[in-house]
Amino acid sequence: MIKWEEFEHIHVVRKIREVVGNWFQVDILFVDDQGRLKNFEKGQKRLWSNTLLANTVNTEAGYDYLAQVIERENAHLVRADVKHHEFEFMPGCHGMAFPIVVDSEYVGAVVALCYHKAPSPQVDPRFVTQCEAFRLSPSDAEKAWRAIKHVQPQETTYFRELTDLVAQEIVTLHKEISTRETRIQELNNQLGGRFRYDQMIGKSKPMQDVYNLLDKISSSESTVMIQGENGTGKELIAKSIHYSSPRKDRVFLPINCAAFNDNLLESELFGHMKGSFTGAVKDRKGYFELADGGTLFMDEIGDISPAMQVKLLRVLQDGSFSPVGSTDVKKTKVRIVAATNRDLKSMVEEGSFRQDLYFRLNVINVQVPPLRDRKEDLMLLSDHFLAKTAKDKGLEPRILTKRAMEKMFDYHWPGNIRELENEMERVTVLAGAETRITAEMLSPRIREATDRPKVQGTRLSGKLKDALEELERAMIREGLRRTGWNKSRLAKELGISRAGLIMKVEKYGLDKRRLAREGGGPLGSTGTDD
Ligand SMILES: Nc1ncnc2c1ncn2[C@@H]1O[C@H](COP(=O)(O)OP(=O)(O)O)[C@@H](O)[C@H]1O
Ligand SMILES: [Mg+2]
């Protein structure tokens, strides 16, 4: 799209108009590729340098005449090789048009009106007749004729160059506008993208990687597997995947697979027929049917039984399933977004999770980083939750003192964002009339967090495997720091091979740069110290 109005305001264009107007009494007009006048509407009175134009084209009949001439002459301009085109505007007076070509495409022209090509002592009688059609008296016609400048052949080049410059300037401006607009569009898209994730706080590199991945998959309808620890925001991510997908206007249904036993889960997912089991008093639709056309978020997918895995595989393969107590085969077009905090890959190796199902689910994999790996988000997140809690309770937002913030940095947040959210809610309530949150107000486990090499908050409940992994990660992390990333030495200390250590470093994302970033250097001041 050409922005013709903008051309009127280009400094160079105005200047050239002025020069051409003063020197030659020639006026400059813009015409689009269809030969339509631009920036000059019928009924509009314009200031013209040229007396003839001032007396004619400002009238309706004159405008129509001009429009007709321009449209007729435009036919000569569309040819790619035309550099300029001279034509007779009225008997004995001429005009010249310069095509505007953008990316070898004719988009319109700059038209210069009007001048005598040859000395014009005598008024051309045909000119006078033509002027009468515009209600110009013969004497006024004669005055107009005399005011039209004779452009000498040597001046023509000069004049032509000036006018041609206008055309070129427009091409440049147009390109500039297009790139500017592409850029604005890009920024808009980015902003739009960010906006879709507006509920997600975090600008750390690991989160940006997540946003970028979400951007990339937003037009896709593939199955997604979201992996990350508890409370890292998996459900939030599942929602934003749905709400930025082509299915955003359809339903998003979450189901926690760990919350049901096998029988119940089957009936929840696939529905059941009346009387198929005790308590099945009527037919009931399952999630796969209810979410047809939308997204089904299957949380804690790592917890489903082998029998359920088979049933799930079937529906993932061809979209078919049967409600409990029925032999009917139903079809569904559900998009699956699954999540788990378990290490599905090792579960596959151990044989507790079907490999074929794993591959079906793992088409797109989103890894959500734990909070301890993106502590640069801690400040943003805690501010966010403090503000949110304050708003909910109609209070002024609390401020964390520097020392409280330091404690929070030292703490390793096994419960991730959810734990942080709860903690910020707790301290807001606890603070009472106090606006500053001091380190003493924090929960003991956080308050007592130190950066000393010891393993903190190892969980005493939950899966033994998860706890062991947590311990392993913490030991390796501290060991790396202590040995200054001397992997051979650390491997020896830990009693494992160097290759084994490197694999574990990879697995836990303990690369040097990442650790350096979360290394808890000087913290921004969030209040006076306590
Ligand atoms: N990046 C984030 N920004 C703001 N709030 C978040 C973020 N990630 C998670 N939360 C909040 O933390 C809590 C836990 O998130 P959730 O998606 O339920 O985690 P998960 O499903 O991984 O256990 C929710 O209240 C959620 O709104
Ligand atoms: Mg969850």
Side-chain angles (χ1 to χ4, degrees), residues 430-488:
L430 216 82
E434 188 62 63
T435 50
R436 291 179 340 140
I437 307 288
T438 63
E440 280 60 46
M441 294 178 189
L442 296 169
S443 298
R445 64 180 190 285
I446 303 169
R447 194 168 65 213
E448 280 150 26
T450 52
D451 214 10
R452 261 178 273 131
K454 75 167 193 195
V455 174
Q456 304 145 358
T458 300
R459 36 175 133 173
L460 298 172
S461 59
K463 298 266 186 310
L464 182 61
K465 188 167 180 302
D466 293 344
L468 286 175
E469 285 189 344
E470 216 170 277
L471 176 68
E472 195 171 68
R473 185 186 189 279
M475 282 180 74
I476 294 172
R477 193 187 133 155
E478 287 311 330
L480 285 168
R481 276 214 175 122
R482 193 175 62 249
T483 61
W485 267 265
N486 186 334
K487 290 194 186 122
S488 309

Side-chain angles (χ1 to χ4, degrees), residues 199-201 231-236 381 385 417-418 421:
Q199 296 192 53
M200 259 185 268
I201 310 288
T232 44
K234 295 187 294 296
E235 182 152 0
L236 208 56
L381 280 164
F385 290 129
I417 320 275
R418 189 177 289 117
E421 187 174 5

Side-chain angles (χ1 to χ4, degrees), residues 229-236 256 297 299-300 339 418:
E229 291 173 17
N230 276 330
T232 44
K234 295 187 294 296
E235 182 152 0
L236 208 56
N256 183 345
F297 174 52
D299 204 359
E300 316 285 6
R418 189 177 289 117

Side-chain angles (χ1 to χ4, degrees), residues 201 204 207 232 369-378 417:
I201 310 288
S204 59
M207 280 314 280
T232 44
L371 184 53
R372 66 176 164 280
D373 283 349
R374 49 181 181 110
K375 279 196 180 158
E376 54 273 54
D377 288 338
L378 202 53
I417 320 275

